[in-house]
Amino acid sequence: MLDVQVDLTDPRTFIPDPPYRTWARLRRRDGLPFQERREAPGFYSVVRYRDVDTVVRDSTSYSSEGGMTLDTALGVRDPAAGKMIELTDPPRHRRLRKLVSGGLNRSVAQNMDALLRWRVDSWVADAVRVGEVDFVDAVSERVPSAATGLLLGLPEKHWDKLADRASRAVCGSLSADDARVGDLAVRRNSTATANGQLMVHLASLVDHAELAEDGMMRRLVEAEIDGDRLTREEVLLNCLNLAIAGNETTKNATTGGLVAFSRDPQQWQLLRRHPELLDSAVEEILRYTSPVQHLMRTVTRPQTLAGTPLHEGDLVCAWVASANRDEEVFTEPDAFRIDRDPNPHLAFTAGKHFCLGASLARLEIKLVFEALLSRVERITLLGTPVRKPTNLVAAYARLPVELHAG
């Protein structure tokens, strides 16, 4: 058994950047490294692409019902297991996915294009006109807020408050310089408070007269397949999941993409000369930033992974961000290359839990950089990007930049 010398449970380990060097060192070692925890069961870190791919695809051997994050996987069944799609294993997972997926197919993303495009164009145009902005505040947090609000069919006046609570439900409310951020109990209390507020907020809207007829929330309430319908609790939990996943991950992929372009201006100039590379650039942004850093799974039966014997009840942490930098799969994995091909990243995971909102997320990222391409010649960082203290998502609090029109 190999011990991890860096505390991967402490969010401060991920500031100013995720521990890419630590993961690279662990990928070169045999076996799965193990880390003890004082306030929760220890866990094995899965860091190689092939092993992460195995874990996220095999929902029979690796269950999501024991919690999907380091801070929620405590060796017991999650209270939302069997009700929220991301915390449910087959065969029940198929029922939930069938009922939820109708509101998140590619045609929905295509219809969302017209609803989002003019908004994104306006926000980016305003940011370029100002020049020096906090890109998170000016653009990247506004796009998924609008997309999620439109998707759920919520009145616009609720979008920003819902997005703020969704962000706090993932990242908590503690700052990076707060010593309590290293305390699991404090972190859990912070995110649980935000989750509760978000759930109450959604519950107040589920029967709201202003809900859009074609919005996801109303559709989930009324959806029926072969006589099967979601309970009110299932509707709320899956709307909560969509609000959280839809807001925080896309926001940070967009922000992280701009950081990457600012640090490698040659890639920005390449994209300006060859805008046909935009779809490829979106995929590289997703790989390079890995907006979701990890996923937890609980072992359901004895097996061996990467030469390490695992037993029923063991916890494994699949480090998606490490898999997406694996040198066995990606040439020059730490380089940001918008023409990378092939690019089989796991940013949306794989298998039965492949992200339902992948098409919409890709659209949002594409719209932002499409709007920037037509207006911006150069991108200059005006300071160090400010990260949020979390090991779950690659989260940014602020990104001071100057957008040079051209």
Side-chain angles (χ1 to χ4, degrees), residues 76-88:
V76 296
R77 194 168 189 262
D78 192 284
K83 303 169 188 175
M84 181 187 290
I85 189 169
E86 292 302 318
L87 286 164
T88 301

Side-chain angles (χ1 to χ4, degrees), residues 36-48:
E36 296 281 3
R37 294 192 287 179
R38 287 180 301 174
E39 305 167 76
F43 64 94
Y44 292 93
S45 278
V46 185
V47 293
R48 298 177 196 79

Side-chain angles (χ1 to χ4, degrees), residues 40-243:
F43 64 94
Y44 292 93
S45 278
V46 185
V47 293
R48 298 177 196 79
Y49 183 101
R50 63 179 181 272
D51 299 327
V52 171
D53 189 56
T54 294
V55 168
V56 298
R57 287 183 185 276
D58 186 356
S59 53
T60 300
S61 302
Y62 302 95
S63 171
S64 65
E65 297 195 357
M68 286 187 59
T69 75
L70 277 167
D71 284 2
T72 60
L74 304 178
V76 296
R77 194 168 189 262
D78 192 284
K83 303 169 188 175
M84 181 187 290
I85 189 169
E86 292 302 318
L87 286 164
T88 301
D89 298 329
R92 188 171 179 81
H93 178 270
R94 285 193 291 273
R95 166 187 175 266
L96 290 174
R97 193 173 183 95
K98 186 182 291 185
L99 287 166
V100 174
S101 62
L104 273 169
N105 53 34
R106 289 193 177 186
S107 64
V108 171
Q110 291 168 356
N111 293 336
M112 194 72 76
D113 187 316
L115 295 172
L116 282 176
R117 185 176 294 275
W118 67 269
R119 290 180 167 89
V120 175
D121 279 345
S122 175
W123 294 327
V124 170
D126 288 345
V128 174
R129 190 160 42 249
V130 172
E132 296 185 7
V133 297
D134 171 8
F135 193 75
V136 174
D137 179 66
V139 178
S140 61
E141 72 179 6
R142 303 178 76 174
V143 179
S145 173
T148 304
L150 289 164
L151 177 69
L152 292 175
L154 306 181
E156 188 168 350
K157 61 187 177 184
H158 292 276
W159 295 357
D160 289 345
K161 182 177 287 187
L162 191 80
D164 178 65
R165 286 174 172 167
S167 179
R168 293 175 187 275
V170 173
C171 303
S173 301
L174 302 174
S175 63
D177 56 3
D178 189 328
R180 298 175 301 162
V181 78
D183 188 315
L184 173 62
V186 174
R187 291 198 307 273
R188 282 178 54 81
N189 182 66
S190 178
T191 54
T193 298
N195 265 292
Q197 292 172 339
L198 181 57
M199 193 72 163
V200 169
H201 190 166
L202 290 168
S204 71
L205 294 170
V206 72
D207 298 318
H208 203 292
E210 295 182 55
L211 283 181
E213 289 292 333
D214 59 349
M216 184 69 126
M217 182 171 279
R218 190 177 294 279
R219 290 174 65 171
L220 289 181
V221 170
E222 299 173 351
E224 183 175 323
I225 296 179
D226 299 329
D228 194 13
R229 302 182 70 165
L230 294 174
T231 67
R232 183 184 179 89
E233 184 183 19
E234 288 172 335
V235 169
L236 290 173
L237 283 170
N238 284 287
C239 285
L240 179 143
N241 183 52
L242 290 171

Side-chain angles (χ1 to χ4, degrees), residues 2 26-33 48 306 308:
L2 302 172
L26 294 176
R27 287 195 300 270
R28 292 191 293 269
R29 297 169 64 181
D30 295 330
L32 299 179
R48 298 177 196 79
T308 299

Side-chain angles (χ1 to χ4, degrees), residues 133-381:
V133 297
D134 171 8
F135 193 75
V136 174
D137 179 66
V139 178
S140 61
E141 72 179 6
R142 303 178 76 174
V143 179
S145 173
T148 304
L150 289 164
L151 177 69
L152 292 175
L154 306 181
E156 188 168 350
K157 61 187 177 184
H158 292 276
W159 295 357
D160 289 345
K161 182 177 287 187
L162 191 80
D164 178 65
R165 286 174 172 167
S167 179
R168 293 175 187 275
V170 173
C171 303
S173 301
L174 302 174
S175 63
D177 56 3
D178 189 328
R180 298 175 301 162
V181 78
D183 188 315
L184 173 62
V186 174
R187 291 198 307 273
R188 282 178 54 81
N189 182 66
S190 178
T191 54
T193 298
N195 265 292
Q197 292 172 339
L198 181 57
M199 193 72 163
V200 169
H201 190 166
L202 290 168
S204 71
L205 294 170
V206 72
D207 298 318
H208 203 292
E210 295 182 55
L211 283 181
E213 289 292 333
D214 59 349
M216 184 69 126
M217 182 171 279
R218 190 177 294 279
R219 290 174 65 171
L220 289 181
V221 170
E222 299 173 351
E224 183 175 323
I225 296 179
D226 299 329
D228 194 13
R229 302 182 70 165
L230 294 174
T231 67
R232 183 184 179 89
E233 184 183 19
E234 288 172 335
V235 169
L236 290 173
L237 283 170
N238 284 287
C239 285
L240 179 143
N241 183 52
L242 290 171
I244 290 174
N247 271 292
E248 197 63 24
T249 53
T250 309
K251 173 179 70 177
N252 293 309
T254 305
T255 307
L258 197 73
V259 172
F261 278 120
S262 70
R263 289 175 173 168
D264 194 340
Q266 290 184 344
Q267 292 296 300
W268 183 247
Q269 297 308 318
L270 175 62
L271 187 57
R272 293 189 75 211
R273 291 194 305 272
H274 297 281
E276 69 274 11
L277 288 173
L278 182 54
D279 286 337
S280 175
V282 169
E283 298 307 310
E284 179 66 349
I285 287 168
L286 288 163
R287 181 200 72 87
Y288 191 77
T289 65
S290 292
V292 174
Q293 301 278 281
H294 79 261
L295 294 167
M296 291 295 288
R297 294 291 190 265
T298 302
V299 178
T300 62
R301 56 191 180 190
Q303 60 199 281
T304 298
L305 182 66
T308 299
L310 299 174
H311 305 91
E312 182 179 355
D314 285 347
L315 298 179
V316 295
C317 181
W319 291 104
V320 176
S322 174
N324 283 341
R325 300 283 184 109
D326 191 337
E327 45 283 303
E328 289 189 1
V329 178
F330 304 99
T331 304
E332 297 181 350
D334 294 323
F336 180 64
R337 289 174 24 195
I338 64 168
D339 58 352
R340 186 179 295 275
D341 184 31
N343 193 351
H345 64 77
L346 295 173
F348 295 124
T349 72
K352 292 180 173 63
H353 282 285
F354 182 80
C355 176
L356 279 171
S359 295
L360 180 56
R362 286 182 167 115
L363 171 67
E364 293 173 50
I365 299 167
K366 182 176 180 177
L367 288 177
V368 170
F369 286 97
E370 199 170 63
L372 287 166
L373 270 179
S374 64
R375 296 176 172 88
V376 175
E377 180 183 3
R378 289 184 298 113
I379 305 156
T380 303
L381 287 179

